[in-house]
């Protein structure tokens, strides 16, 4: 009994201490470090003793996920606590709006010092940091340049992972003021492609080939047909110099892509010498075997895998060394006790699973993010949490730790209640996470998809092919066979679909408003760039914005266009098949309609109805965003918004009914000044509400007579608006 009381007193004094003194936070964050390459999380192929220390002295979160498995987006989710479609950074190459609410600014306001070193990759400069020093873009492994706070670049000779650790330690030791709590974000480039190790790790796997994952030779059967379109396979998408570290010209274009090793080009002569001494003899040996023809296709892939995985794991090793140095310093400086240390990485990575490197897909290996945390006195050493956590949770967690208020529009949840609960789920914790990947038409050719993951199952949706995919993670942890069609899983499938719909609602995901490119389709790509070019010729008297019905002014509507607009400066911005989200993309990304136009005629949305039976409310929001963009991009332009034309032969046509409802909503966007609205339905409908083929041959697109009616109907309004 006495012991118990003593324990309670100690425990409560630890808690009181923690409450009084706000903890420091060291957030060590790497790039592309998969959980399969952390020994504390079950790696079978490497040892990470220093990262493992966090697990021993703190907690691991096994069910830790990203919201969008790609670099910039993951970082934007972390900074804002919001999903990509809300924080606006959906794909690499987007520009992060650093004026929005981010946790660094908020903890700074709450009295924290904030520091950031290493990879950033959000294009805009960091905001909310007392000190920052970042890699430009992806950064380099050897002799990296860093952008300084005065925007100048500075080159550090040495190995990037070590340089970043040095800079972090230097700030801790020399630059911060000791009278305030701090958060330090130490963000490595490693082990990102092209996986360039430090010489001290060259011999790490000498004579010990790394074991291969079971799915290295995945045939991509029994899942979405889009799997086969990937361009991230070890068998086909490894580059001669860049990935495989051969020198000179690609001697085997039939086996390797051609791209030189740019890291090698950055090395000093001495670094090159050390590098060559290790790589060259091994390369020559392989090339000799390859030339002699004695290697089977399988053996070549196996060699590529070994080269890839060993370089990757060696790059990881330097990160682990860096974690060790930081933990040592915290011990020595007496900071360990009141400093929370977190290790994480922007997303996971394929280490040969499904035959891949890279990430992006919603499969476990890249959906997962490592999350290890040590918080002496609060988190029980050795805890292992099953709770589903996500990178949108980090911002609210940091805010709570700093004693700052958590804004109500943050979508993630603070993890602090879990930390205080021994990692066990609180009863109100989430039962599923939502994931969305948006990079259509990008490197590695992974399709847009989204989905949900519960503790036991995963559901994915591929809009391009309109395919569902579902996995029972207990029975099929490697996700080799979709069971969405299996009758035995019908109730689970229905439940997951409901969870998917509800979570999309919960997080405000409306694909009609999320800019989307169709750049993976050649025809679209070509027309789009043509339109972008045409739009530069402005100013215009009149511009038509829309889909195939608008594009048709160049087809069946050609002569009518000539008659009505031939003597005007008129521009057609219609692309067949476009939905609201594609027009939004065009108006933002390609800046179509950035030149002055007197009048913009907008008619869009029938494809949202036709392809997905999308909810009228959602489509209307897409139209509203388009109006907003035009208003913003081309001030003074008057907008003539047209109700979506009727479709389908009969008035009972379900898609037509959807359009009717959308029109009921969008008519309200007219303000009588900038935006004017007209519904032309009566021009195209017979008295009984049917459609005559003479007007719409396919009950969707207009005939020449149809275009005549369109032009005639809007002419008075156009004149009123100044045409
Ligand atoms: C680079 C890599 C890709 C990688 C992306 C995104 N190619 O483009 O393999 O998927 O970065 O990575 S490379 O030729 O530059 O190595 S991310 O981590 O920044 O999202
Ligand atoms: Ca990354």
């Amino acid at each position: 009994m006495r012991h118990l009381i003593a324990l309670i007193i100690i425990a409560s004094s630890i808690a009181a201490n923690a409450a009084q003194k706000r903890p420091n936070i060291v957030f060590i964050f790497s790039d592309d470090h998969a959980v399969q390459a952390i020994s504390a999380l079950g790696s079978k192929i490497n040892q990470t003793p220093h990262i493992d220390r966090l697990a021993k002295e703190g907690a691991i979160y096994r069910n830790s996920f990203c919201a969008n498995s790609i670099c910039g987006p993951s970082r934007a989710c972390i900074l804002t606590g919001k999903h990509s479609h809300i924080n606006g950074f959906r794909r690499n190459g987007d520009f992060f709006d650093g004026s929005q609410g981010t946790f660094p600014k908020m903890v700074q306001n709450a009295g924290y010092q904030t520091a950031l070193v290493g990879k950033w990759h959000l294009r805009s400069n960091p905001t909310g940091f007392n000190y920052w020093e970042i890699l430009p873009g992806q950064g380099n492994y050897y002799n990296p340049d860093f952008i300084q706070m005065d925007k100048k670049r500075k080159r550090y000779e040495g190995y990037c992972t070590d340089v970043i650790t040095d800079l972090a330690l230097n700030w801790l030791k020399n630059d911060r003021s000791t009278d305030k709590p701090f958060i330090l974000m130490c963000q490595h480039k490693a082990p990102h492609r092209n996986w360039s190790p430090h010489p001290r790790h060259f011999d790490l796997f000498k004579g010990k080939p790394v074991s291969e994952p079971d799915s290295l030779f995945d045939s991509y059967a029994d899942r979405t047909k889009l799997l086969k379109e990937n361009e991230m396979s070890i068998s086909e998408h490894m580059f001669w110099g860049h990935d495989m570290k051969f020198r000179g010209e690609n001697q085997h274009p039939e086996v390797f892509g051609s791209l030189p090793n740019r890291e090698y080009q950055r090395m000093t002569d001495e670094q090159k010498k050390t590098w060559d001494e290790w790589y060259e003899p091994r390369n020559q040996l392989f090339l000799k075997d390859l030339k002699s023809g004695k290697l089977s296709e399988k053996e070549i892939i196996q060699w590529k895998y070994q080269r890839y995985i060993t370089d990757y794991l060696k790059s990881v090793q330097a990160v682990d060394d860096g974690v060790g140095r930081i933990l040592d310093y915290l011990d020595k400086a007496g900071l360990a006790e009141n400093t929370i240390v977190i290790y994480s990485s922007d997303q996971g990575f394929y280490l040969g699973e499904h035959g891949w490197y890279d990430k992006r897909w919603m499969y476990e290996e890249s959906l997962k993010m490592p999350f290890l945390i040590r918080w002496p006195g609060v988190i029980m050493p050795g805890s292992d949490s099953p709770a589903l956590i996500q990178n949108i949770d980090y911002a609210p967690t940091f805010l709570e730790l700093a004693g700052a208020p958590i804004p109500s529009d943050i979508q993630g949840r603070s993890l602090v209640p879990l930390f205080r609960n021994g990692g066990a789920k609180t009863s109100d914790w989430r039962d599923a996470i939502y994931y969305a990947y948006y990079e259509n038409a990008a490197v590695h050719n992974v399709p847009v998809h989204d989905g949900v993951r519960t503790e036991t199952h995963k559901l994915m949706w591929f809009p391009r092919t309109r395919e569902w995919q579902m996995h029972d993670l207990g029975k099929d942890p490697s996700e080799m066979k979709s069971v969405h069609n299996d009758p035995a899983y019908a109730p689970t499938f229905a439940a997951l679909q409901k969870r998917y719909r509800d979570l999309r609602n919960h997080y405000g995901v409306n694909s009609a408003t999320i800019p989307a490119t169709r750049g993976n389709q050649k025809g679209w790509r070509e027309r789009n760039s043509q339109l972008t070019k045409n739009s530069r010729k402005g100013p215009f008297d009149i511009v038509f914005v829309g889909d195939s019905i608008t594009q048709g002014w160049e087809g069946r509507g050609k002569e009518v266009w000539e008659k009505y607009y031939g003597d005007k400066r008129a521009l057609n911005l219609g692309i067949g098949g476009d939905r609201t989200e594609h027009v939004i993309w065009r108006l933002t990304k390609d800046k179509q309609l950035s030149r002055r136009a007197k009048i913009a005629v907008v008619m869009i949305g029938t494809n949202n109805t036709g392809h997905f039976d999308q909810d009228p409310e959602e489509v209307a929001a897409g139209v509203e965003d388009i109006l907003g963009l035009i208003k913003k991009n081309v001030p003074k332009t008057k907008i003539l918004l047209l109700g979506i034309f009727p479709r389908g032969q009969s008035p009972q046509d379900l898609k037509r009914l959807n359009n009717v409802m959308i029109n009921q909503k969008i008519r309200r966007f007219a303000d009588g000044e900038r935006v004017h609205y007209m519904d032309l339905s009566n021009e195209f409908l017979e008295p009984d509400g049917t459609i005559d083929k003479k007007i719409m041959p396919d009950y969707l697109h207009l005939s020449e007579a149809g275009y005549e009616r369109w032009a005639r109907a809007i002419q008075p309004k156009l004149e009123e608006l100044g045409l």
Side-chain angles (χ1 to χ4, degrees):
M1 187 62 184
R2 221 183 311 139
H3 288 307
L4 187 64
I5 292 171
L7 267 181
I8 291 171
I9 292 172
I10 293 171
S12 54
S13 73
I14 290 177
N17 226 352
Q20 278 163 10
K21 220 173 149 211
R22 292 183 296 174
N24 306 308
I25 301 164
V26 173
F27 180 72
I28 310 175
F29 192 64
S30 57
D31 193 0
D32 295 359
H33 191 178
V35 300
Q36 315 89 283
I38 294 178
S39 31
L41 293 170
S43 169
K44 299 187 193 102
I45 53 179
N46 71 331
Q47 291 296 323
T48 47
H50 302 296
I51 296 171
D52 289 7
R53 239 188 100 181
L54 295 177
K56 274 194 217 95
E57 298 168 10
I60 54 177
Y61 279 75
R62 298 187 171 277
N63 282 324
S64 154
F65 305 101
C66 58
N68 181 353
S69 179
I70 190 76
C71 181
S74 175
R75 289 156 207 264
C77 290
I78 289 173
L79 290 168
T80 60
K82 295 171 186 168
H83 277 283
S84 308
H85 66 285
I86 303 283
N87 68 46
F89 202 102
R90 289 170 305 272
R91 30 191 298 152
N92 276 347
D94 279 344
F95 189 86
F96 183 69
D97 170 13
S99 71
Q100 65 184 305
T102 62
F103 85 79
K105 286 189 266 186
M106 297 175 202
V107 299
Q108 212 177 26
N109 283 338
Y112 269 61
Q113 289 169 87
T114 54
L116 160 77
V117 277
K119 186 164 173 186
W120 173 249
H121 206 203
L122 292 169
R123 289 189 59 212
S124 55
N125 282 324
T127 53
F129 292 94
N130 297 80
Y131 156 70
W132 58 262
E133 197 163 348
I134 55 169
L135 297 169
Q138 295 285 8
N140 286 100
Y141 277 97
Y142 275 81
N143 311 323
D145 294 324
F146 282 77
I147 305 174
Q148 311 292 302
M149 291 178 78
D150 62 8
K151 321 280 155 46
K152 292 202 178 98
R153 291 198 183 197
K154 183 168 168 189
R155 180 166 295 199
Y156 290 88
E157 191 171 316
Y159 186 67
C160 190
T161 310
D162 298 343
V163 173
I164 288 171
T165 305
D166 292 342
L167 291 173
L169 285 172
N170 184 54
W171 184 79
L172 277 179
K173 287 178 192 163
N174 306 319
D175 285 349
R176 69 188 178 93
S177 52
T178 46
D179 58 345
K180 279 183 173 179
F182 64 82
I183 175 158
L184 166 64
M185 303 177 77
C186 172
Q187 309 201 147
H188 291 291
K189 173 190 173 55
H192 188 270
R193 199 174 175 197
N194 74 343
W195 322 296
S196 292
H198 187 280
R200 70 176 179 275
H201 298 123
F202 278 174
D203 282 328
L204 203 55
F205 298 93
K206 201 173 171 185
K208 286 178 286 185
V210 178
S211 63
E212 293 168 5
D214 293 339
S215 59
L216 182 58
F217 298 95
D218 194 337
S219 67
Y220 307 131
D222 301 323
R223 285 150 295 171
T224 167
K225 51 191 173 218
L226 293 165
L227 272 178
K228 294 200 174 108
E229 292 183 11
N230 83 81
E231 292 172 4
M232 49 193 266
S233 72
I234 293 171
S235 59
E236 287 177 52
H237 306 104
M238 282 296 188
F239 289 104
W240 169 262
H242 185 59
D243 298 315
M244 298 284 96
K245 320 294 181 342
F246 294 109
R247 287 187 55 186
E249 282 287 297
N250 185 359
Q251 295 168 22
H252 292 275
E254 74 289 2
V255 182
F256 303 102
S258 297
L259 192 69
N261 181 1
R262 288 189 220 100
E263 290 299 333
Y264 184 80
Q265 294 162 357
R266 301 178 62 84
M267 291 177 195
T268 62
D269 289 346
E270 208 174 316
Q271 287 166 339
K272 280 184 180 159
K273 191 165 165 272
T274 317
W275 182 272
D276 288 339
E277 274 166 15
W278 198 87
Y279 280 95
E280 274 311 288
R282 288 162 179 84
N283 290 352
Q284 293 314 321
L285 216 62
F286 169 75
L287 290 176
K288 206 176 105 209
D289 288 349
L290 187 64
K291 278 199 188 83
S292 74
K294 74 177 191 195
L295 296 177
S296 69
E297 222 167 277
K298 186 172 176 195
E299 284 167 327
I300 296 171
I301 296 170
Q302 289 175 314
W303 187 89
K304 289 180 178 178
Y305 168 74
Q306 288 302 327
R307 173 52 57 90
Y308 157 55
I309 195 67
T310 52
D311 281 353
Y312 176 92
L313 294 174
K314 291 170 194 176
S315 306
V316 165
Q317 214 61 39
V319 174
D320 190 63
D321 294 346
V323 174
R325 287 174 61 205
I326 287 177
L327 294 182
D328 281 350
Y329 173 74
L330 294 177
D331 287 338
K332 267 193 230 115
L335 284 167
E337 198 58 28
N338 195 39
T339 300
I340 294 173
V341 181
I342 295 173
Y343 182 79
S344 180
S345 186
D346 60 349
Q347 3 72 207
F349 213 66
Y350 296 97
L351 304 182
E353 299 88 359
H354 306 295
W356 290 334
Y357 64 94
D358 215 67
K359 50 256 178 180
R360 300 159 193 271
W361 296 92
M362 199 193 162
Y363 296 106
E364 291 294 273
E365 293 79 4
S366 60
L367 177 63
K368 283 196 171 166
M369 287 167 80
F371 192 88
L372 301 94
I373 175 166
R374 184 180 79 176
W375 187 4
V378 176
I379 290 182
M380 242 166 5
S383 12
D384 184 341
S385 174
L388 301 172
I389 68 167
Q390 212 169 7
N391 51 356
I392 53 169
D393 299 332
Y394 301 3
T397 303
F398 296 149
L399 291 174
E400 180 168 354
L401 291 171
I406 300 174
S408 59
D409 63 348
I410 281 195
Q411 297 187 312
R413 292 186 57 181
S414 168
L415 303 172
V416 175
L418 301 178
F419 299 157
R420 295 195 189 282
N421 205 28
K425 282 177 292 179
T426 52
S427 46
D428 66 345
W429 198 250
R430 66 167 71 90
D431 67 343
I433 56 118
Y434 174 72
Y435 174 87
Y437 174 78
Y438 294 101
E439 279 203 19
N440 194 3
V443 60
H444 301 307
N445 205 27
V446 175
V448 168
H449 60 292
D450 69 350
V452 293
R453 188 202 189 277
T454 66
E455 277 174 34
T456 51
H457 291 80
K458 184 182 294 175
L459 181 71
M460 304 185 225
W461 165 248
F462 295 89
R464 174 134 61 92
T465 46
R466 307 184 69 172
E467 290 172 288
W468 290 105
Q469 199 175 298
M470 187 172 100
H471 293 285
D472 178 338
L473 298 168
K475 292 202 175 126
D476 179 22
S478 304
E479 301 167 288
M480 301 299 283
K481 185 177 176 12
S482 177
V483 289
H484 70 281
N485 272 330
D486 181 338
Y489 281 93
T492 316
F493 185 37
L496 281 173
Q497 283 180 309
K498 175 164 172 54
R499 189 35 90 246
Y500 171 80
R501 277 193 306 272
D502 288 348
L503 276 186
R504 280 175 56 105
N505 273 334
H506 178 64
Y507 290 122
V509 185
N510 171 8
S511 47
T513 60
I514 303 175
T517 171
R518 289 167 59 208
N520 58 303
Q521 299 164 25
K522 190 161 168 270
W524 189 90
R525 214 164 45 233
E526 286 167 3
R527 173 139 181 103
N528 182 53
S529 55
Q530 187 56 50
L531 296 190
T532 305
K533 240 184 260 152
N534 294 351
S535 67
R536 287 201 199 106
K537 294 180 194 141
F540 298 98
D541 298 316
I542 184 164
V543 175
F544 284 78
V545 179
D547 48 37
S548 57
I549 304 174
T550 295
Q551 184 172 358
W553 281 116
E554 292 168 15
R556 292 198 197 108
K558 209 164 176 219
E559 279 172 23
V560 183
W561 176 277
E562 240 347 272
K563 178 168 142 200
Y564 282 84
Y565 316 117
D567 60 342
K568 305 275 185 285
R569 288 165 304 176
L571 173 70
N572 183 335
L573 288 183
I575 302 190
D578 264 16
R579 299 194 288 273
T580 50
E581 58 264 39
H582 307 121
V583 173
I584 294 174
W585 170 278
R586 293 199 266 133
L587 295 179
T588 42
K589 292 284 170 172
D590 291 298
K591 291 276 184 288
Q592 285 170 15
L593 210 72
S594 56
R595 287 295 177 87
R596 195 162 55 75
K598 253 191 221 154
I599 305 169
V601 180
V602 177
M603 207 259 300
I604 186 73
T606 207
N607 293 320
N608 295 65
T609 293
H611 291 236
F612 289 100
D613 297 327
Q614 197 164 20
D615 188 78
E617 185 74 43
E618 293 190 354
V619 184
V623 174
E624 188 171 21
D625 282 4
I626 290 171
L627 300 180
L629 277 168
I630 298 176
K631 284 194 214 167
K632 199 176 95 201
N633 290 353
V634 274
K636 291 201 182 136
T637 294
K638 306 262 189 207
I639 302 169
L640 175 56
L641 174 66
L642 298 181
I644 304 172
F645 293 173
R647 61 184 294 170
Q649 188 189 13
S650 100
Q652 274 94 43
D653 181 274
L654 294 181
K655 297 186 198 310
R656 174 165 351 156
L657 290 176
N658 226 30
N659 284 352
V660 168
M661 197 61 222
I662 295 168
N663 290 346
Q664 287 304 312
K665 293 178 185 295
I666 63 174
R667 56 181 284 280
R668 303 202 190 133
F669 301 148
D671 57 16
E673 298 209 359
R674 295 284 309 272
V675 183
H676 302 259
Y677 180 79
M678 284 181 83
D679 186 317
L680 308 186
S681 303
N682 287 344
E683 301 291 334
F684 307 118
L685 297 178
E686 300 305 304
D688 63 355
T690 57
I691 288 176
D692 188 332
K693 272 193 164 195
K694 284 195 211 102
I695 297 301
M696 285 187 194
D698 61 353
Y699 305 120
L700 176 63
H701 297 94
L702 299 175
S703 63
E704 184 171 357
Y707 281 102
E708 174 66 37
R709 289 190 190 186
W710 180 356
R712 202 180 50 214
I714 62 174
Q715 188 60 22
K717 189 77 193 173
L718 295 180
E719 283 166 19
E720 182 193 316
L721 297 178
L723 187 71

